[in-house]
Amino acid sequence: MQTDSSPGGACSVPLPARAHLPAGRRDVPVPVLDIVIPVYNEEKDLRPCVRRLHDHLASTFPYPFRITIADNASTDRTPEVAAQLAASSEEVRYTRLEQKGRGRALRAVWSASDAPVLAYMDVDLSTDLNALLPLVAPLISGHSDLAIGSRLARSSRVVRGPKREFISRSYNLILRGSLQARFSDAQCGFKAIRGDVAGVLLPLVEDTGWFFDTEMLVLAERAGLRIHEVPVDWVDDPDSTVHLVRTATDDLKGVWRVGRALAVGALPLDRLARPFGDDPRDRQLTGVPGGLARQLVGFCVVGALSTLFYLLLYSGFRTFSGSQVANALALLVSAVANTAANRRLTFGVRGRDRAMRHQAQGLVVFAIGLVLTSGSLAALGAASGSPSHSTELAVLIAANLAATVLRFLLLRAWVFPERRDTAAAPAIRYEQLPHDDQHLRVTAAADTHDPRNAR
């Protein structure tokens, strides 16, 4: 099911299916890989870094490439050095930003790039360049959506001081504990992303500084995108200009902001959820509704927890009210929680869009359950006069089981119906030009008849 909670409530167009990028000659005008090097006052290290990276790519990388120097408002000779490097090589470009921020630089260059694979690395080249091809290969092949270098993998070989080691591991433990992140290294300056994914993911990332990487990875992971990790050999740069205390403080603020947004469903991750047409879970099986098995499992888990929650509430309300009032109050509170949980976990609907409508429909389902359970209590009272508390609970459990089946059918068919988006998705198309002028042409293919494209 494809849903959307972006502003305006319109359904988002899904990303195209991953495809292996075709190989081509080195003299093609459109590169397959665009590597960004964000810099700020790096007049000393910039020239040897770019030359070393260029030589490595020219000798080992089988696809056309580009190196983009992104200057974050440097005040030394960095712009002059960068301009000289760009003038001396067709594969090197230089862009200037008048504001600082690594995230701001990456967003600006990646958003404007025409390359189908985008990457970045730190100017100090702390990461061994032999990991570059393994980093981008899963993106080129269509296997993964993002790729990151990891200094914390078991097979990584890292040389750095105990202070940075402690900070790095502590930060990743915080991410795992607070945001349930499963990737191992958020801040290694060695990452890549497919261009089509970046076009949809980057607008959701707010940070413009060092937390940019973490926020991008957390959102990608929550949306179900595939992140490939590459163990790297990494040597700490003793002359790094990164302010550890300020960076750590900003990162913790970012963790709080993203965690709060995820908790309240404020991020429209539905525009990224289930984005690709090659997901085997999307294949239609004869006689089996799409997603039925997964939804049944989720509904059962949510239902079991909701029943326990309901019984606890009923027992609590029963201490100061009659059985009918306690049942109504407990069922009302648990119904709101049940609808919210099923909305997110069972039917995969995130964000605030149509949330109130779903809750209103859930209350109708609640009313049906109230009729069943209240009717059961009334029948019990008429039959036995003054039943025991345990008998009441047994009757309520039986009535709730009957109501559960009806609730699932109503939620699936009425509250959260499966919505199929038949509009064509924009895709990256690679065209092979005539023999005399062979190069790759990257174009965006979209259905012009989709009314959503008219806005």
Side-chain angles (χ1 to χ4, degrees), residues 336-349:
V336 173
N338 181 276
T339 300
N342 276 310
R343 183 178 189 269
R344 173 69 181 271
L345 302 177
T346 303
F347 299 98
V349 181

Side-chain angles (χ1 to χ4, degrees), residues 8 19 31 33 40 48 73 128 147-148 167 173 175-176 328 338 422:
L33 174 65
Y40 173 72
D128 181 17
I148 64 174
I167 292 176
L173 286 176
L175 293 181
R176 288 177 178 269
N338 181 276
T422 57

Side-chain angles (χ1 to χ4, degrees), residues 76 91 103 170 183 286 310 335:
D76 61 357
E91 288 88 8
S170 298
F183 47 84
T286 303
Y310 162 79

Side-chain angles (χ1 to χ4, degrees), residues 6 12 27 85 186 231 236 362 395 445:
S6 57
S12 296
D27 58 351
L85 290 169
D236 187 19
V395 171

Side-chain angles (χ1 to χ4, degrees), residues 354-378:
R354 298 184 299 277
M356 295 303 297
R357 175 184 174 183
H358 292 156
Q359 282 293 349
Q361 292 173 310
L363 289 178
V364 174
V365 178
F366 148 75
I368 297 174
L370 179 61
V371 170
L372 289 175
T373 54
S374 297
S376 299
L377 285 175

Side-chain angles (χ1 to χ4, degrees), residues 35-119:
I35 303 181
V36 182
I37 303 178
V39 293
Y40 173 72
N41 289 347
E42 297 287 355
E43 61 179 4
K44 176 182 177 182
D45 295 332
L46 181 57
R47 192 185 304 275
C49 161
V50 172
R51 287 179 173 174
R52 179 183 166 194
L53 176 60
H54 183 276
D55 292 344
H56 177 83
L57 290 170
S59 60
T60 65
F61 194 69
Y63 291 87
F65 64 87
R66 177 193 301 143
I67 301 173
T68 301
I69 304 169
D71 178 15
N72 282 129
S74 295
T75 57
D76 61 357
R77 294 184 58 254
T78 296
E80 178 183 343
V81 175
Q84 293 173 355
L85 290 169
S88 63
S89 175
E90 294 182 355
E91 288 88 8
V92 179
R93 287 188 181 181
Y94 166 63
T95 183
R96 165 84 176 183
L97 290 84
E98 297 304 329
Q99 292 177 291
K100 294 176 61 177
R102 180 177 69 177
R104 179 178 287 109
L106 293 178
R107 185 199 309 277
V109 177
W110 281 356
S111 298
S113 179
D114 55 356
V117 176
L118 311 168

Side-chain angles (χ1 to χ4, degrees), residues 425-436:
I428 300 297
R429 183 171 68 247
Y430 302 90
E431 300 178 358
Q432 194 75 30
L433 295 189
H435 179 75
D436 294 337

Side-chain angles (χ1 to χ4, degrees), residues 183-238:
F183 47 84
S184 65
D185 193 350
Q187 289 288 28
C188 180
F190 193 65
K191 295 182 176 67
I193 184 173
R194 285 179 67 101
D196 49 3
V197 176
V200 184
L201 180 61
L202 293 184
L204 304 181
V205 182
E206 294 184 16
D207 191 80
T208 59
W210 294 96
F211 187 70
F212 175 90
D213 301 49
T214 302
E215 186 171 358
M216 179 180 68
L217 290 174
V218 169
L219 298 185
E221 188 175 71
R222 287 299 184 96
L225 302 185
R226 182 172 289 169
I227 301 175
H228 177 75
E229 293 198 14
V230 177
V232 297
D233 297 342
W234 195 85
V235 179
D236 187 19
D237 179 14

